Amino acid sequence: MHILISPNAFKHSLTAEEAASAISEGLMQSRLDCTCECFPIGDGGDGTGELIIKKCKGQLVNADVTDPLGRKINASFGLIDGGRTAIIEMANASGLRLLEPGELDPLHASSFGTGQQIKLALDKGARKIIIGMGGSATVDGATGMLKALGIHFLNAECKELGMLPADLTDLASVDLSTLDERINDTEVVVLCDVDNMLLGKNGAAAVFGPQKGASVENVKKLDSALAKLAEVALQQTGKDMSTIKKGGTAGGAAAGLYAFLNAKLVNGIEYFLHLTDFDKALEKSDLVITGEGSVDEQTLQGKGPFGVAQSAKQKGLPVIGLAGMVPLVRNENLKKYFDVLLAIGNQPFDLPAALACSAANLKRTSAELGDLLAIAK
Protein backbone atom coordinates (compact mmCIF):
# COMPACT_ATOMS: atom_id res chain seq x y z
CA MET A 1 0.00 0.00 0.00
CA HIS A 2 1.34 3.42 -0.97
CA ILE A 3 -0.05 6.22 1.19
CA LEU A 4 0.00 9.90 0.27
CA ILE A 5 0.19 12.06 3.41
CA SER A 6 -1.07 15.59 2.69
CA PRO A 7 -2.11 17.53 5.79
CA ASN A 8 -2.55 21.25 6.14
CA ALA A 9 -0.94 23.03 9.09
CA PHE A 10 -2.47 22.38 12.51
CA LYS A 11 -2.94 26.02 13.51
CA HIS A 12 -0.99 27.22 16.58
CA SER A 13 0.54 23.77 16.88
CA LEU A 14 2.24 22.14 13.87
CA THR A 15 3.33 23.21 10.42
CA ALA A 16 2.05 21.10 7.55
CA GLU A 17 5.49 19.52 7.25
CA GLU A 18 5.59 18.65 10.95
CA ALA A 19 2.11 17.15 10.77
CA ALA A 20 3.02 15.05 7.72
CA SER A 21 6.17 13.81 9.44
CA ALA A 22 4.25 12.78 12.58
CA ILE A 23 1.68 10.86 10.53
CA SER A 24 4.41 9.11 8.57
CA GLU A 25 6.30 8.14 11.73
CA GLY A 26 3.14 6.70 13.24
CA LEU A 27 2.41 4.58 10.17
CA MET A 28 5.98 3.29 10.11
CA GLN A 29 5.59 2.16 13.73
CA SER A 30 2.49 0.15 12.84
CA ARG A 31 2.20 -3.38 11.46
CA LEU A 32 1.02 -2.12 8.10
CA ASP A 33 3.20 -3.00 5.12
CA CYS A 34 3.24 0.36 3.31
CA THR A 35 5.28 3.10 1.74
CA CYS A 36 4.55 6.77 2.34
CA GLU A 37 5.03 10.06 0.54
CA CYS A 38 4.79 13.25 2.56
CA PHE A 39 3.18 16.01 0.49
CA PRO A 40 2.24 18.76 2.99
CA ILE A 41 -0.17 21.31 1.58
CA GLY A 42 -1.17 24.95 2.03
CA ASP A 43 -4.36 26.79 1.10
CA GLY A 44 -3.08 30.35 1.23
CA GLY A 45 -2.64 30.31 5.00
CA ASP A 46 0.60 31.03 6.82
CA GLY A 47 3.30 28.70 5.48
CA THR A 48 1.84 28.16 2.01
CA GLY A 49 4.53 30.19 0.27
CA GLU A 50 7.33 28.28 1.98
CA LEU A 51 5.84 24.97 0.83
CA ILE A 52 5.56 26.19 -2.77
CA ILE A 53 9.16 27.40 -2.77
CA LYS A 54 10.41 24.03 -1.47
CA LYS A 55 8.23 21.94 -3.76
CA CYS A 56 9.23 23.97 -6.82
CA LYS A 57 12.91 24.03 -5.79
CA GLY A 58 12.93 27.79 -5.63
CA GLN A 59 15.57 30.26 -4.53
CA LEU A 60 15.22 32.28 -1.31
CA VAL A 61 15.87 36.01 -1.34
CA ASN A 62 16.53 37.78 1.96
CA ALA A 63 16.28 41.55 2.34
CA ASP A 64 15.65 44.24 4.92
CA VAL A 65 12.06 45.50 4.99
CA THR A 66 9.73 46.89 7.65
CA ASP A 67 7.44 44.94 9.95
CA PRO A 68 3.76 45.88 10.57
CA LEU A 69 4.82 48.62 12.99
CA GLY A 70 7.52 50.07 10.74
CA ARG A 71 10.53 48.47 12.39
CA LYS A 72 13.41 47.17 10.29
CA ILE A 73 13.52 43.38 9.92
CA ASN A 74 15.07 40.84 7.58
CA ALA A 75 12.48 38.81 5.66
CA SER A 76 12.57 36.36 2.79
CA PHE A 77 10.58 35.58 -0.33
CA GLY A 78 11.14 33.02 -3.07
CA LEU A 79 11.80 32.90 -6.79
CA ILE A 80 10.70 29.93 -8.90
CA ASP A 81 10.34 29.23 -12.60
CA GLY A 82 13.84 30.47 -13.36
CA GLY A 83 13.24 33.68 -11.45
CA ARG A 84 10.21 34.68 -13.48
CA THR A 85 7.76 34.05 -10.62
CA ALA A 86 8.04 35.38 -7.07
CA ILE A 87 6.40 33.64 -4.11
CA ILE A 88 5.67 36.07 -1.29
CA GLU A 89 4.42 35.03 2.14
CA MET A 90 2.65 38.05 3.61
CA ALA A 91 3.28 36.80 7.14
CA ASN A 92 7.06 37.09 6.63
CA ALA A 93 6.99 40.89 6.54
CA SER A 94 3.49 41.77 7.77
CA GLY A 95 2.56 38.86 10.00
CA LEU A 96 1.04 38.43 13.43
CA ARG A 97 3.99 36.28 14.45
CA LEU A 98 6.25 39.33 14.21
CA LEU A 99 4.38 41.09 17.03
CA GLU A 100 4.08 40.52 20.76
CA PRO A 101 0.49 40.19 22.07
CA GLY A 102 0.65 43.68 23.55
CA GLU A 103 1.72 45.17 20.21
CA LEU A 104 -1.33 44.17 18.18
CA ASP A 105 -2.75 47.35 16.67
CA PRO A 106 -4.65 46.91 13.38
CA LEU A 107 -5.59 50.60 13.21
CA HIS A 108 -1.92 51.40 12.68
CA ALA A 109 -0.36 48.13 11.47
CA SER A 110 0.76 48.36 7.84
CA SER A 111 1.41 45.92 5.01
CA PHE A 112 4.16 48.23 3.69
CA GLY A 113 6.85 45.57 4.20
CA THR A 114 5.07 43.15 1.89
CA GLY A 115 4.92 45.89 -0.73
CA GLN A 116 8.67 46.32 -0.35
CA GLN A 117 9.07 42.62 -1.08
CA ILE A 118 6.92 42.96 -4.21
CA LYS A 119 9.15 45.82 -5.37
CA LEU A 120 12.29 43.75 -4.68
CA ALA A 121 10.81 40.87 -6.68
CA LEU A 122 10.27 43.24 -9.60
CA ASP A 123 13.89 44.36 -9.24
CA LYS A 124 14.91 40.69 -9.54
CA GLY A 125 13.04 40.41 -12.84
CA ALA A 126 9.90 38.61 -11.66
CA ARG A 127 6.83 39.34 -13.76
CA LYS A 128 4.45 37.09 -11.88
CA ILE A 129 3.83 37.58 -8.16
CA ILE A 130 2.03 34.92 -6.12
CA ILE A 131 1.08 36.06 -2.61
CA GLY A 132 -0.01 33.84 0.26
CA MET A 133 -1.88 36.10 2.66
CA GLY A 134 -2.43 33.96 5.74
CA GLY A 135 -1.28 35.14 9.16
CA SER A 136 -1.23 38.89 8.46
CA ALA A 137 -1.37 41.41 11.29
CA THR A 138 -3.07 44.07 9.19
CA VAL A 139 -6.54 45.32 8.25
CA ASP A 140 -5.35 48.04 5.87
CA GLY A 141 -6.94 46.99 2.58
CA ALA A 142 -3.42 46.62 1.10
CA THR A 143 -2.82 50.36 1.37
CA GLY A 144 0.60 49.73 2.92
CA MET A 145 1.63 47.49 0.04
CA LEU A 146 0.29 49.94 -2.51
CA LYS A 147 2.09 52.84 -0.86
CA ALA A 148 5.37 50.90 -1.10
CA LEU A 149 4.71 50.54 -4.83
CA GLY A 150 4.27 54.28 -5.31
CA ILE A 151 0.56 54.98 -4.79
CA HIS A 152 -0.39 58.01 -2.68
CA PHE A 153 -3.56 58.25 -0.57
CA LEU A 154 -4.72 61.86 -0.32
CA ASN A 155 -7.24 63.87 1.70
CA ALA A 156 -9.52 66.61 0.36
CA GLU A 157 -6.62 69.09 0.49
CA CYS A 158 -4.48 66.74 -1.65
CA LYS A 159 -2.20 66.05 1.29
CA GLU A 160 -1.01 62.52 1.90
CA LEU A 161 -2.72 60.69 4.75
CA GLY A 162 -0.36 60.30 7.65
CA MET A 163 -1.44 57.04 9.21
CA LEU A 164 -2.97 54.07 7.40
CA PRO A 165 -5.49 52.60 7.81
CA ALA A 166 -6.56 54.84 10.70
CA ASP A 167 -6.83 57.95 8.52
CA LEU A 168 -8.60 56.30 5.58
CA THR A 169 -11.93 57.82 6.59
CA ASP A 170 -10.43 61.13 5.38
CA LEU A 171 -9.52 59.69 1.99
CA ALA A 172 -10.62 61.83 -0.96
CA SER A 173 -8.49 60.57 -3.84
CA VAL A 174 -5.74 58.16 -4.80
CA ASP A 175 -2.77 59.29 -6.88
CA LEU A 176 -1.88 56.42 -9.20
CA SER A 177 0.51 58.41 -11.39
CA THR A 178 3.60 57.28 -9.47
CA LEU A 179 2.72 53.58 -9.30
CA ASP A 180 5.69 51.43 -10.28
CA GLU A 181 5.16 51.00 -14.03
CA ARG A 182 6.53 47.45 -14.01
CA ILE A 183 3.43 46.26 -12.18
CA ASN A 184 1.39 46.90 -15.33
CA ASP A 185 3.27 44.06 -17.03
CA THR A 186 3.09 41.78 -14.00
CA GLU A 187 0.50 39.14 -13.15
CA VAL A 188 -0.45 39.31 -9.47
CA VAL A 189 -2.12 36.23 -7.98
CA VAL A 190 -3.54 36.22 -4.44
CA LEU A 191 -4.01 32.85 -2.74
CA CYS A 192 -7.13 33.08 -0.57
CA ASP A 193 -8.15 30.66 2.18
CA VAL A 194 -11.44 32.43 3.01
CA ASP A 195 -14.42 33.66 0.98
CA ASN A 196 -15.27 36.71 3.12
CA MET A 197 -16.25 39.96 1.44
CA LEU A 198 -14.59 43.23 2.40
CA LEU A 199 -17.32 44.90 4.48
CA GLY A 200 -20.09 44.19 6.96
CA LYS A 201 -20.66 41.61 9.68
CA ASN A 202 -18.79 38.95 7.75
CA GLY A 203 -16.18 41.36 6.40
CA ALA A 204 -12.47 41.88 6.96
CA ALA A 205 -12.76 44.13 10.02
CA ALA A 206 -15.57 42.28 11.80
CA VAL A 207 -14.20 38.76 11.33
CA PHE A 208 -10.44 39.25 11.33
CA GLY A 209 -10.03 42.52 13.24
CA PRO A 210 -10.54 40.98 16.71
CA GLN A 211 -7.99 38.24 15.91
CA LYS A 212 -5.49 41.02 15.22
CA GLY A 213 -6.22 43.00 18.36
CA ALA A 214 -9.12 45.25 17.37
CA SER A 215 -11.64 46.30 20.02
CA VAL A 216 -15.35 46.55 19.23
CA GLU A 217 -14.92 50.27 18.62
CA ASN A 218 -11.85 49.72 16.44
CA VAL A 219 -13.72 47.18 14.33
CA LYS A 220 -16.28 49.87 13.50
CA LYS A 221 -13.52 52.35 12.62
CA LEU A 222 -11.74 49.81 10.42
CA ASP A 223 -14.94 48.88 8.61
CA SER A 224 -15.63 52.57 7.94
CA ALA A 225 -12.07 53.06 6.74
CA LEU A 226 -12.31 50.13 4.31
CA ALA A 227 -15.73 51.36 3.12
CA LYS A 228 -14.21 54.75 2.29
CA LEU A 229 -11.33 53.09 0.46
CA ALA A 230 -13.82 51.02 -1.56
CA GLU A 231 -15.85 54.13 -2.41
CA VAL A 232 -12.82 56.02 -3.75
CA ALA A 233 -11.46 52.94 -5.53
CA LEU A 234 -14.77 52.49 -7.36
CA GLN A 235 -14.72 56.12 -8.48
CA GLN A 236 -11.16 55.94 -9.79
CA THR A 237 -10.77 52.37 -11.05
CA GLY A 238 -14.34 51.28 -11.77
CA LYS A 239 -13.76 48.19 -9.62
CA ASP A 240 -15.95 47.53 -6.61
CA MET A 241 -13.82 46.20 -3.76
CA SER A 242 -16.91 45.60 -1.65
CA THR A 243 -18.51 43.01 -3.93
CA ILE A 244 -15.54 40.84 -4.88
CA LYS A 245 -15.65 37.38 -3.33
CA LYS A 246 -12.57 36.63 -1.17
CA GLY A 247 -11.89 40.38 -0.94
CA GLY A 248 -11.83 40.27 2.86
CA THR A 249 -8.75 38.03 2.87
CA ALA A 250 -5.89 39.39 5.01
CA GLY A 251 -7.79 42.39 6.32
CA GLY A 252 -9.03 43.40 2.90
CA ALA A 253 -5.59 43.23 1.27
CA ALA A 254 -6.98 40.94 -1.42
CA ALA A 255 -9.65 43.50 -2.36
CA GLY A 256 -7.11 46.32 -2.45
CA LEU A 257 -4.78 44.45 -4.79
CA TYR A 258 -7.74 43.49 -6.97
CA ALA A 259 -8.85 47.10 -7.35
CA PHE A 260 -5.50 48.81 -7.85
CA LEU A 261 -3.21 46.09 -9.29
CA ASN A 262 -5.80 44.01 -11.16
CA ALA A 263 -4.84 41.02 -9.01
CA LYS A 264 -6.50 37.64 -9.50
CA LEU A 265 -8.08 36.29 -6.31
CA VAL A 266 -7.96 32.50 -6.44
CA ASN A 267 -8.86 29.57 -4.23
CA GLY A 268 -5.61 28.90 -2.43
CA ILE A 269 -5.70 25.11 -2.23
CA GLU A 270 -6.79 24.61 -5.85
CA TYR A 271 -3.98 26.83 -7.07
CA PHE A 272 -1.44 25.17 -4.75
CA LEU A 273 -2.32 21.65 -5.85
CA HIS A 274 -2.09 22.61 -9.52
CA LEU A 275 1.18 24.51 -9.14
CA THR A 276 2.87 21.67 -7.21
CA ASP A 277 1.61 18.90 -9.55
CA PHE A 278 -0.39 17.12 -6.83
CA ASP A 279 -2.20 14.92 -9.36
CA LYS A 280 1.09 13.22 -10.22
CA ALA A 281 1.49 12.16 -6.58
CA LEU A 282 -2.12 10.91 -6.50
CA GLU A 283 -1.59 8.67 -9.53
CA LYS A 284 0.77 6.35 -7.65
CA SER A 285 -1.21 6.31 -4.38
CA ASP A 286 -3.65 3.80 -2.90
CA LEU A 287 -4.82 5.89 0.04
CA VAL A 288 -4.71 9.58 0.99
CA ILE A 289 -4.44 10.96 4.53
CA THR A 290 -5.09 14.65 5.13
CA GLY A 291 -6.20 16.86 8.01
CA GLU A 292 -5.79 20.05 10.01
CA GLY A 293 -6.74 21.41 13.42
CA SER A 294 -10.48 21.13 12.79
CA VAL A 295 -12.40 19.35 10.04
CA ASP A 296 -16.06 20.40 9.90
CA GLU A 297 -18.61 21.98 7.56
CA GLN A 298 -16.36 25.01 7.08
CA THR A 299 -13.72 22.70 5.64
CA LEU A 300 -15.97 22.24 2.62
CA GLN A 301 -15.79 25.97 1.85
CA GLY A 302 -12.41 25.54 0.15
CA LYS A 303 -10.02 24.66 2.97
CA GLY A 304 -6.90 22.61 2.35
CA PRO A 305 -8.16 19.13 3.37
CA PHE A 306 -11.24 19.58 1.18
CA GLY A 307 -9.08 20.37 -1.83
CA VAL A 308 -7.00 17.25 -1.19
CA ALA A 309 -10.07 15.05 -0.66
CA GLN A 310 -11.84 16.41 -3.72
CA SER A 311 -8.81 15.70 -5.92
CA ALA A 312 -8.43 12.21 -4.45
CA LYS A 313 -12.09 11.38 -4.99
CA GLN A 314 -11.84 12.39 -8.64
CA LYS A 315 -9.36 9.53 -8.96
CA GLY A 316 -11.44 7.10 -6.90
CA LEU A 317 -9.09 7.05 -3.92
CA PRO A 318 -10.15 6.56 -0.28
CA VAL A 319 -9.47 9.52 2.03
CA ILE A 320 -8.86 9.56 5.77
CA GLY A 321 -9.03 12.84 7.65
CA LEU A 322 -7.22 13.41 10.95
CA ALA A 323 -7.98 16.47 13.08
CA GLY A 324 -7.93 17.85 16.56
CA MET A 325 -11.69 18.32 16.30
CA VAL A 326 -14.30 16.59 14.15
CA PRO A 327 -18.12 16.80 14.32
CA LEU A 328 -19.72 14.88 17.17
CA VAL A 329 -22.54 13.73 14.89
CA ARG A 330 -21.95 11.96 11.59
CA ASN A 331 -21.99 14.55 8.81
CA GLU A 332 -23.18 13.31 5.44
CA ASN A 333 -21.67 16.23 3.51
CA LEU A 334 -18.23 15.50 4.94
CA LYS A 335 -18.65 11.75 4.31
CA LYS A 336 -18.89 12.43 0.59
CA TYR A 337 -15.21 13.37 0.65
CA PHE A 338 -13.76 11.78 3.79
CA ASP A 339 -14.26 8.02 4.10
CA VAL A 340 -13.04 8.14 7.68
CA LEU A 341 -12.70 11.12 10.05
CA LEU A 342 -10.71 10.60 13.23
CA ALA A 343 -10.14 12.98 16.13
CA ILE A 344 -6.58 12.56 17.41
CA GLY A 345 -7.15 13.48 21.08
CA ASN A 346 -6.52 10.70 23.60
CA GLN A 347 -8.05 12.22 26.76
CA PRO A 348 -9.85 15.37 27.95
CA PHE A 349 -7.49 18.35 27.60
CA ASP A 350 -7.77 22.10 27.70
CA LEU A 351 -6.81 23.75 24.42
CA PRO A 352 -3.20 24.70 25.30
CA ALA A 353 -2.46 21.15 26.44
CA ALA A 354 -4.13 19.66 23.38
CA LEU A 355 -2.08 21.89 21.07
CA ALA A 356 1.13 20.90 22.87
CA CYS A 357 0.33 17.21 22.35
CA SER A 358 -0.63 17.45 18.67
CA ALA A 359 2.49 15.75 17.30
CA ALA A 360 2.34 12.89 19.79
CA ASN A 361 -1.38 12.44 19.23
CA LEU A 362 -0.98 12.43 15.45
CA LYS A 363 1.79 9.86 15.67
CA ARG A 364 -0.17 7.60 18.04
CA THR A 365 -3.41 7.85 16.04
CA SER A 366 -1.55 7.08 12.81
CA ALA A 367 0.11 4.04 14.35
CA GLU A 368 -3.29 2.74 15.50
CA LEU A 369 -4.72 3.51 12.08
CA GLY A 370 -1.91 1.54 10.44
CA ASP A 371 -2.57 -1.46 12.68
CA LEU A 372 -6.27 -1.29 11.83
CA LEU A 373 -5.51 -1.19 8.10
CA ALA A 374 -3.15 -4.14 8.52
CA ILE A 375 -5.96 -6.17 10.15
CA ALA A 376 -8.35 -5.18 7.38
CA LYS A 377 -5.90 -6.37 4.73
Side-chain angles (χ1 to χ4, degrees):
M1 179 179 285
H2 182 68
I3 302 175
L4 184 60
I5 302 171
S6 299
N8 206 356
F10 280 58
K11 196 170 183 180
H12 303 308
S13 178
L14 300 172
T15 66
E17 290 177 297
E18 290 169 340
S21 179
I23 295 168
S24 178
E25 287 181 42
L27 289 170
M28 291 299 101
Q29 291 173 3
S30 75
R31 297 193 296 271
L32 182 65
D33 182 15
C34 68
T35 57
C36 298
E37 178 184 355
C38 289
F39 198 124
I41 56 99
D43 55 13
D46 196 352
T48 301
E50 183 180 351
L51 291 173
I52 292 174
I53 295 165
K54 287 182 178 180
K55 199 69 182 176
C56 297
K57 297 179 173 57
Q59 168 195 351
L60 280 180
V61 178
N62 289 280
D64 288 337
V65 295
T66 58
D67 78 357
L69 299 182
R71 299 172 298 202
K72 185 177 178 180
I73 59 168
N74 189 268
S76 64
F77 63 93
L79 294 172
I80 64 171
D81 191 27
R84 291 182 292 273
T85 299
I87 308 297
I88 294 177
E89 187 94 66
M90 190 171 174
N92 287 354
S94 309
L96 277 170
R97 52 184 160 88
L98 301 173
L99 305 179
E100 298 296 329
E103 295 179 324
L104 301 182
D105 184 9
L107 268 176
H108 302 98
S110 172
S111 60
F112 189 86
T114 301
Q116 290 176 303
Q117 289 189 310
I118 295 173
K119 196 171 184 67
L120 287 165
L122 295 174
D123 292 342
K124 292 287 184 180
R127 289 301 176 265
K128 182 174 183 178
I129 310 286
I130 300 174
I131 308 174
M133 288 194 159
S136 75
T138 58
V139 188
D140 71 349
T143 51
M145 280 187 252
L146 297 169
K147 187 174 180 179
L149 291 169
I151 290 179
H152 298 284
F153 297 89
L154 310 174
N155 63 19
E157 299 174 349
C158 292
K159 293 181 179 179
E160 190 153 12
L161 299 179
M163 185 61 65
L164 301 172
D167 292 343
L168 275 176
T169 49
D170 294 326
L171 182 68
S173 64
V174 179
D175 181 4
L176 303 172
S177 65
T178 50
L179 174 65
D180 192 316
E181 292 181 355
R182 297 171 297 178
I183 208 72
N184 296 323
D185 300 317
T186 302
E187 180 183 4
V188 180
V189 179
V190 176
L191 307 184
C192 302
D193 61 346
V194 298
D195 287 338
N196 301 67
M197 300 288 198
L198 181 69
L199 305 173
K201 64 178 182 179
N202 294 316
V207 175
F208 305 114
Q211 301 171 15
K212 304 176 187 190
S215 65
V216 173
E217 186 61 31
N218 285 347
V219 165
K220 294 178 182 178
K221 291 180 180 178
L222 286 165
D223 194 60
S224 295
L226 293 174
K228 188 64 173 180
L229 177 63
E231 177 188 327
V232 174
L234 180 59
Q235 292 170 356
Q236 295 196 218
T237 70
K239 293 185 177 180
D240 193 344
M241 292 172 58
S242 66
T243 60
I244 184 70
K245 190 177 180 181
K246 302 180 175 66
T249 303
L257 296 187
Y258 158 78
F260 293 103
L261 302 188
N262 199 31
K264 298 177 183 177
L265 312 189
V266 302
N267 178 274
I269 186 59
E270 289 181 4
Y271 199 92
F272 176 93
L273 296 179
H274 175 74
L275 186 63
T276 56
D277 206 6
F278 185 68
D279 277 357
K280 187 174 181 180
L282 284 175
E283 287 171 2
K284 54 186 178 181
S285 302
D286 303 301
L287 171 69
V288 178
I289 297 178
T290 186
E292 62 181 355
S294 177
V295 173
D296 52 30
E297 279 278 355
Q298 283 191 323
T299 302
L300 301 178
Q301 304 304 311
K303 295 292 186 180
F306 172 68
V308 169
Q310 188 178 44
S311 296
K313 285 301 170 188
Q314 288 171 357
K315 296 190 178 297
L317 295 174
V319 179
I320 295 174
L322 304 179
M325 293 190 298
V326 300
L328 181 63
V329 178
R330 180 184 176 93
N331 185 297
E332 294 302 324
N333 290 327
L334 287 169
K335 295 300 287 185
K336 293 175 184 176
Y337 299 96
F338 301 93
D339 297 273
V340 176
L341 274 179
L342 295 175
I344 64 173
N346 66 320
Q347 60 180 298
F349 270 140
D350 59 22
L351 183 57
L355 292 173
C357 293
S358 292
N361 277 333
L362 264 179
K363 194 180 301 183
R364 175 191 51 76
T365 303
S366 299
E368 295 295 326
L369 174 62
D371 288 339
L372 185 61
L373 291 170
I375 293 172
K377 285 185 72 177

